Amino acid sequence: MKKQTRRKFLATTAAVTAGAAVFGLPTMQTKNKKQLVHHVFFWLKNPNSKEDLNKLLEGLRTLEKIETIRKLHIGVPASTEKRPVVDNSYSASELMFFDDLEGQAVYQDHPIHKKFIENCSHLWEKVIVYDAMEV
Amino acid sequence: MKKQTRRKFLATTAAVTAGAAVFGLPTMQTKNKKQLVHHVFFWLKNPNSKEDLNKLLEGLRTLEKIETIRKLHIGVPASTEKRPVVDNSYSASELMFFDDLEGQAVYQDHPIHKKFIENCSHLWEKVIVYDAMEV
Protein backbone atom coordinates (compact mmCIF):
# COMPACT_ATOMS: atom_id res chain seq x y z
CA MET A 1 0.00 0.00 0.00
CA LYS A 2 1.42 3.43 -0.92
CA LYS A 3 2.08 5.82 1.92
CA GLN A 4 -0.62 8.29 0.98
CA THR A 5 -3.21 5.61 0.29
CA ARG A 6 -2.32 4.00 3.58
CA ARG A 7 -2.70 7.27 5.48
CA LYS A 8 -6.11 7.79 3.91
CA PHE A 9 -7.05 4.19 4.64
CA LEU A 10 -6.07 4.52 8.28
CA ALA A 11 -8.04 7.74 8.58
CA THR A 12 -11.07 5.99 7.10
CA THR A 13 -10.61 3.07 9.45
CA ALA A 14 -10.49 5.41 12.41
CA ALA A 15 -13.61 7.16 11.21
CA VAL A 16 -15.74 4.10 10.66
CA THR A 17 -14.67 2.09 13.66
CA ALA A 18 -16.72 2.65 16.77
CA GLY A 19 -15.70 2.03 20.36
CA ALA A 20 -11.98 1.87 21.07
CA ALA A 21 -11.14 4.26 18.25
CA VAL A 22 -12.94 6.99 20.16
CA PHE A 23 -10.10 6.95 22.67
CA GLY A 24 -7.50 7.34 19.94
CA LEU A 25 -5.41 4.49 21.29
CA PRO A 26 -4.30 1.27 19.65
CA THR A 27 -6.65 -0.77 21.85
CA MET A 28 -7.08 -3.23 19.03
CA GLN A 29 -7.58 -6.36 21.11
CA THR A 30 -10.27 -5.24 23.52
CA LYS A 31 -13.17 -7.60 23.98
CA ASN A 32 -15.83 -5.03 23.19
CA LYS A 33 -14.22 -3.83 20.00
CA LYS A 34 -16.53 -4.16 17.02
CA GLN A 35 -15.18 -6.89 14.80
CA LEU A 36 -15.20 -7.38 11.07
CA VAL A 37 -16.43 -10.71 9.76
CA HIS A 38 -15.17 -12.05 6.43
CA HIS A 39 -17.16 -15.04 5.19
CA VAL A 40 -16.29 -16.79 1.93
CA PHE A 41 -18.27 -19.56 0.26
CA PHE A 42 -16.66 -21.81 -2.36
CA TRP A 43 -18.40 -23.89 -5.02
CA LEU A 44 -16.09 -26.58 -6.41
CA LYS A 45 -15.85 -27.34 -10.13
CA ASN A 46 -16.19 -30.99 -9.14
CA PRO A 47 -18.59 -30.86 -6.21
CA ASN A 48 -18.58 -34.65 -5.87
CA SER A 49 -14.82 -34.99 -5.65
CA LYS A 50 -13.74 -35.77 -2.09
CA GLU A 51 -10.17 -35.27 -3.22
CA ASP A 52 -10.80 -31.74 -4.48
CA LEU A 53 -12.70 -30.87 -1.30
CA ASN A 54 -9.83 -32.12 0.84
CA LYS A 55 -7.32 -30.12 -1.20
CA LEU A 56 -9.40 -27.00 -0.69
CA LEU A 57 -9.81 -27.62 3.06
CA GLU A 58 -6.09 -28.25 3.38
CA GLY A 59 -5.41 -24.96 1.60
CA LEU A 60 -7.84 -23.11 3.84
CA ARG A 61 -6.08 -24.46 6.92
CA THR A 62 -2.82 -22.79 5.87
CA LEU A 63 -4.52 -19.41 6.29
CA GLU A 64 -4.67 -19.68 10.07
CA LYS A 65 -1.03 -18.59 10.27
CA ILE A 66 -1.94 -15.11 9.09
CA GLU A 67 -1.46 -12.96 12.15
CA THR A 68 -4.38 -10.55 11.76
CA ILE A 69 -6.99 -13.36 11.77
CA ARG A 70 -8.61 -13.38 15.23
CA LYS A 71 -10.77 -16.48 14.75
CA LEU A 72 -10.98 -18.93 11.86
CA HIS A 73 -13.87 -21.31 11.20
CA ILE A 74 -13.59 -23.66 8.24
CA GLY A 75 -16.83 -25.42 7.41
CA VAL A 76 -18.95 -27.51 5.08
CA PRO A 77 -22.75 -27.35 4.76
CA ALA A 78 -24.35 -28.38 8.04
CA SER A 79 -27.19 -30.88 8.06
CA THR A 80 -29.71 -28.41 9.40
CA GLU A 81 -33.31 -28.52 8.23
CA LYS A 82 -33.73 -27.92 4.50
CA ARG A 83 -35.71 -24.71 3.98
CA PRO A 84 -36.12 -22.53 0.88
CA VAL A 85 -34.04 -19.74 2.45
CA VAL A 86 -31.10 -22.03 3.27
CA ASP A 87 -28.38 -22.25 0.64
CA ASN A 88 -26.48 -25.48 1.20
CA SER A 89 -25.20 -25.78 -2.37
CA TYR A 90 -21.66 -24.60 -1.60
CA SER A 91 -18.76 -26.97 -1.01
CA ALA A 92 -16.79 -25.25 1.77
CA SER A 93 -16.70 -22.01 3.70
CA GLU A 94 -14.11 -19.91 5.45
CA LEU A 95 -15.16 -17.52 8.20
CA MET A 96 -12.72 -15.09 9.76
CA PHE A 97 -12.85 -12.34 12.34
CA PHE A 98 -10.64 -9.28 12.07
CA ASP A 99 -10.15 -6.37 14.45
CA ASP A 100 -10.68 -3.85 11.71
CA LEU A 101 -10.57 -3.05 7.99
CA GLU A 102 -6.81 -2.89 8.07
CA GLY A 103 -6.53 -6.40 9.50
CA GLN A 104 -8.60 -7.66 6.58
CA ALA A 105 -6.48 -5.70 4.10
CA VAL A 106 -3.30 -7.23 5.55
CA TYR A 107 -4.88 -10.66 5.07
CA GLN A 108 -5.79 -9.96 1.43
CA ASP A 109 -2.21 -9.01 0.57
CA HIS A 110 -0.53 -11.67 2.72
CA PRO A 111 1.85 -14.08 0.93
CA ILE A 112 0.13 -17.08 2.59
CA HIS A 113 -3.23 -15.93 1.19
CA LYS A 114 -1.73 -15.37 -2.26
CA LYS A 115 -0.13 -18.83 -2.15
CA PHE A 116 -3.50 -20.33 -1.23
CA ILE A 117 -5.16 -18.69 -4.25
CA GLU A 118 -2.31 -19.82 -6.50
CA ASN A 119 -2.58 -23.41 -5.26
CA CYS A 120 -6.34 -23.78 -4.99
CA SER A 121 -8.20 -21.40 -7.31
CA HIS A 122 -8.29 -23.99 -10.09
CA LEU A 123 -10.55 -26.07 -7.82
CA TRP A 124 -13.49 -23.71 -7.56
CA GLU A 125 -15.92 -22.33 -10.13
CA LYS A 126 -17.63 -19.75 -7.94
CA VAL A 127 -16.88 -17.74 -4.82
CA ILE A 128 -19.10 -15.37 -2.86
CA VAL A 129 -17.67 -13.10 -0.19
CA TYR A 130 -19.61 -11.27 2.54
CA ASP A 131 -17.84 -8.70 4.70
CA ALA A 132 -19.84 -7.50 7.70
CA MET A 133 -18.88 -4.86 10.25
CA GLU A 134 -20.35 -5.36 13.70
CA VAL A 135 -22.84 -2.72 14.79
CA MET B 1 -22.96 -42.35 25.00
CA LYS B 2 -25.62 -44.28 26.91
CA LYS B 3 -29.18 -43.12 26.59
CA GLN B 4 -29.46 -41.82 30.10
CA THR B 5 -26.09 -40.10 30.02
CA ARG B 6 -27.04 -38.55 26.72
CA ARG B 7 -30.32 -37.28 28.07
CA LYS B 8 -28.50 -35.71 30.97
CA PHE B 9 -25.93 -34.27 28.58
CA LEU B 10 -28.60 -32.71 26.40
CA ALA B 11 -30.34 -31.21 29.42
CA THR B 12 -27.05 -29.79 30.63
CA THR B 13 -26.16 -28.43 27.22
CA ALA B 14 -29.50 -26.70 26.92
CA ALA B 15 -29.25 -25.24 30.38
CA VAL B 16 -25.76 -23.80 30.41
CA THR B 17 -24.34 -20.88 28.54
CA ALA B 18 -20.74 -20.58 27.36
CA GLY B 19 -19.86 -18.67 30.52
CA ALA B 20 -20.95 -21.58 32.70
CA ALA B 21 -17.91 -23.53 31.48
CA VAL B 22 -15.96 -21.55 34.03
CA PHE B 23 -17.99 -23.21 36.76
CA GLY B 24 -16.80 -26.71 36.14
CA LEU B 25 -18.25 -28.02 32.90
CA PRO B 26 -14.98 -28.23 31.03
CA THR B 27 -15.75 -31.26 28.89
CA MET B 28 -18.74 -29.83 27.03
CA GLN B 29 -17.48 -26.36 26.28
CA THR B 30 -13.91 -27.11 25.30
CA LYS B 31 -12.23 -24.86 22.81
CA ASN B 32 -11.73 -27.71 20.37
CA LYS B 33 -15.40 -28.58 19.99
CA LYS B 34 -16.48 -28.21 16.38
CA GLN B 35 -19.01 -25.42 16.18
CA LEU B 36 -21.92 -24.78 13.88
CA VAL B 37 -22.13 -21.37 12.24
CA HIS B 38 -25.49 -19.91 11.25
CA HIS B 39 -25.18 -16.82 9.06
CA VAL B 40 -28.25 -14.96 7.80
CA PHE B 41 -28.28 -12.06 5.33
CA PHE B 42 -31.29 -9.74 5.08
CA TRP B 43 -32.25 -7.50 2.18
CA LEU B 44 -34.71 -4.80 3.26
CA LYS B 45 -37.77 -3.89 1.19
CA ASN B 46 -36.71 -0.27 1.68
CA PRO B 47 -32.92 -0.48 1.60
CA ASN B 48 -32.56 3.29 1.98
CA SER B 49 -34.72 3.53 5.08
CA LYS B 50 -32.57 4.13 8.17
CA GLU B 51 -35.68 3.59 10.25
CA ASP B 52 -36.35 0.14 8.83
CA LEU B 53 -32.70 -0.82 9.26
CA ASN B 54 -32.76 0.27 12.89
CA LYS B 55 -35.95 -1.69 13.52
CA LEU B 56 -34.33 -4.78 12.06
CA LEU B 57 -31.12 -4.32 14.07
CA GLU B 58 -33.17 -3.79 17.23
CA GLY B 59 -35.04 -7.00 16.51
CA LEU B 60 -31.81 -8.90 15.90
CA ARG B 61 -30.45 -7.72 19.26
CA THR B 62 -33.33 -9.42 21.08
CA LEU B 63 -32.00 -12.78 19.86
CA GLU B 64 -28.93 -12.67 22.08
CA LYS B 65 -31.05 -13.83 25.03
CA ILE B 66 -31.48 -17.26 23.43
CA GLU B 67 -29.39 -19.53 25.61
CA THR B 68 -27.95 -21.86 22.97
CA ILE B 69 -26.28 -19.02 21.03
CA ARG B 70 -22.58 -19.10 21.90
CA LYS B 71 -21.56 -15.95 20.03
CA LEU B 72 -23.66 -13.38 18.18
CA HIS B 73 -22.33 -10.89 15.62
CA ILE B 74 -24.80 -8.42 14.12
CA GLY B 75 -23.41 -6.55 11.15
CA VAL B 76 -23.88 -4.32 8.13
CA PRO B 77 -21.81 -4.39 4.93
CA ALA B 78 -18.21 -3.48 5.73
CA SER B 79 -16.41 -0.91 3.61
CA THR B 80 -13.85 -3.39 2.35
CA GLU B 81 -12.54 -3.14 -1.19
CA LYS B 82 -15.22 -3.58 -3.84
CA ARG B 83 -14.48 -6.71 -5.86
CA PRO B 84 -16.72 -8.74 -8.20
CA VAL B 85 -16.82 -11.64 -5.71
CA VAL B 86 -17.94 -9.44 -2.80
CA ASP B 87 -21.68 -9.18 -2.26
CA ASN B 88 -22.34 -6.00 -0.28
CA SER B 89 -25.94 -5.58 -1.46
CA TYR B 90 -27.54 -6.87 1.75
CA SER B 91 -28.80 -4.59 4.50
CA ALA B 92 -27.88 -6.47 7.68
CA SER B 93 -26.48 -9.80 8.80
CA GLU B 94 -26.75 -12.04 11.83
CA LEU B 95 -23.99 -14.53 12.59
CA MET B 96 -24.32 -17.08 15.36
CA PHE B 97 -22.26 -19.93 16.73
CA PHE B 98 -23.89 -23.03 18.17
CA ASP B 99 -22.36 -26.04 19.89
CA ASP B 100 -24.25 -28.45 17.67
CA LEU B 101 -27.28 -29.08 15.45
CA GLU B 102 -29.51 -29.32 18.48
CA GLY B 103 -28.50 -25.87 19.71
CA GLN B 104 -29.50 -24.47 16.35
CA ALA B 105 -32.82 -26.33 16.41
CA VAL B 106 -33.58 -24.93 19.88
CA TYR B 107 -32.92 -21.46 18.47
CA GLN B 108 -35.25 -21.98 15.49
CA ASP B 109 -38.15 -22.95 17.72
CA HIS B 110 -37.44 -20.45 20.49
CA PRO B 111 -40.27 -17.99 21.36
CA ILE B 112 -37.85 -15.04 21.15
CA HIS B 113 -36.90 -16.07 17.59
CA LYS B 114 -40.55 -16.48 16.63
CA LYS B 115 -41.38 -13.09 18.11
CA PHE B 116 -38.54 -11.55 16.08
CA ILE B 117 -39.92 -13.02 12.83
CA GLU B 118 -43.43 -11.86 13.74
CA ASN B 119 -42.22 -8.31 14.45
CA CYS B 120 -39.68 -7.88 11.67
CA SER B 121 -40.40 -10.11 8.68
CA HIS B 122 -42.48 -7.39 7.00
CA LEU B 123 -39.25 -5.37 6.73
CA TRP B 124 -37.30 -7.69 4.45
CA GLU B 125 -37.84 -8.90 0.91
CA LYS B 126 -35.10 -11.52 0.80
CA VAL B 127 -33.16 -13.69 3.22
CA ILE B 128 -30.30 -16.08 2.57
CA VAL B 129 -29.12 -18.51 5.25
CA TYR B 130 -25.85 -20.41 5.32
CA ASP B 131 -25.28 -23.11 7.94
CA ALA B 132 -21.72 -24.39 8.16
CA MET B 133 -20.35 -27.16 10.36
CA GLU B 134 -16.73 -26.80 11.36
CA VAL B 135 -14.37 -29.43 9.94
Side-chain angles (χ1 to χ4, degrees), chain B residues 1 3 10-11 29 77 96:
Chain B
M1 211 182 281
K3 204 174 174 186
L10 292 175
Q29 311 289 332
M96 296 169 176

mmCIF file of all heavy atoms in Angstrom, chain B residues 1 3 10-11 29 77 96:
data_model
loop_
_atom_site.group_PDB
_atom_site.id
_atom_site.type_symbol
_atom_site.label_atom_id
_atom_site.label_comp_id
_atom_site.label_asym_id
_atom_site.label_seq_id
_atom_site.Cartn_x
_atom_site.Cartn_y
_atom_site.Cartn_z
ATOM 1 N N MET B 1 -22.330 -42.902 23.815
ATOM 2 C CA MET B 1 -22.958 -42.351 25.004
ATOM 3 C C MET B 1 -24.246 -43.116 25.297
ATOM 4 O O MET B 1 -25.050 -43.338 24.389
ATOM 5 C CB MET B 1 -23.288 -40.869 24.752
ATOM 6 C CG MET B 1 -23.235 -40.018 25.995
ATOM 7 S SD MET B 1 -23.699 -38.295 25.652
ATOM 8 C CE MET B 1 -22.198 -37.644 24.930
ATOM 9 N N LYS B 3 -27.975 -43.929 26.755
ATOM 10 C CA LYS B 3 -29.178 -43.120 26.586
ATOM 11 C C LYS B 3 -29.374 -42.119 27.734
ATOM 12 O O LYS B 3 -29.636 -40.945 27.518
ATOM 13 C CB LYS B 3 -30.397 -44.032 26.456
ATOM 14 C CG LYS B 3 -31.542 -43.360 25.716
ATOM 15 C CD LYS B 3 -32.673 -44.308 25.470
ATOM 16 C CE LYS B 3 -33.848 -43.581 24.861
ATOM 17 N NZ LYS B 3 -35.006 -44.469 24.738
ATOM 18 N N LEU B 10 -27.794 -33.652 27.179
ATOM 19 C CA LEU B 10 -28.598 -32.713 26.399
ATOM 20 C C LEU B 10 -29.236 -31.674 27.310
ATOM 21 O O LEU B 10 -29.275 -30.495 26.982
ATOM 22 C CB LEU B 10 -29.667 -33.457 25.598
ATOM 23 C CG LEU B 10 -29.111 -34.333 24.464
ATOM 24 C CD1 LEU B 10 -30.236 -35.118 23.817
ATOM 25 C CD2 LEU B 10 -28.382 -33.497 23.418
ATOM 26 N N ALA B 11 -29.717 -32.129 28.459
ATOM 27 C CA ALA B 11 -30.338 -31.209 29.416
ATOM 28 C C ALA B 11 -29.308 -30.184 29.878
ATOM 29 O O ALA B 11 -29.580 -28.987 29.925
ATOM 30 C CB ALA B 11 -30.886 -31.979 30.607
ATOM 31 N N GLN B 29 -17.680 -27.673 26.884
ATOM 32 C CA GLN B 29 -17.482 -26.361 26.279
ATOM 33 C C GLN B 29 -16.025 -26.155 25.856
ATOM 34 O O GLN B 29 -15.559 -25.045 25.802
ATOM 35 C CB GLN B 29 -17.865 -25.269 27.282
ATOM 36 C CG GLN B 29 -19.208 -25.466 27.949
ATOM 37 C CD GLN B 29 -20.350 -25.246 27.000
ATOM 38 O OE1 GLN B 29 -20.203 -24.493 26.059
ATOM 39 N NE2 GLN B 29 -21.457 -25.892 27.212
ATOM 40 N N PRO B 77 -22.921 -4.226 5.858
ATOM 41 C CA PRO B 77 -21.805 -4.388 4.927
ATOM 42 C C PRO B 77 -20.597 -3.540 5.336
ATOM 43 O O PRO B 77 -20.736 -2.355 5.634
ATOM 44 C CB PRO B 77 -22.388 -3.919 3.588
ATOM 45 C CG PRO B 77 -23.846 -4.182 3.709
ATOM 46 C CD PRO B 77 -24.180 -3.916 5.148
ATOM 47 N N MET B 96 -24.244 -16.414 14.058
ATOM 48 C CA MET B 96 -24.323 -17.077 15.364
ATOM 49 C C MET B 96 -23.498 -18.345 15.371
ATOM 50 O O MET B 96 -23.422 -19.034 14.354
ATOM 51 C CB MET B 96 -25.768 -17.507 15.646
ATOM 52 C CG MET B 96 -26.704 -16.368 15.763
ATOM 53 S SD MET B 96 -28.384 -16.984 15.761
ATOM 54 C CE MET B 96 -29.239 -15.435 16.039
#
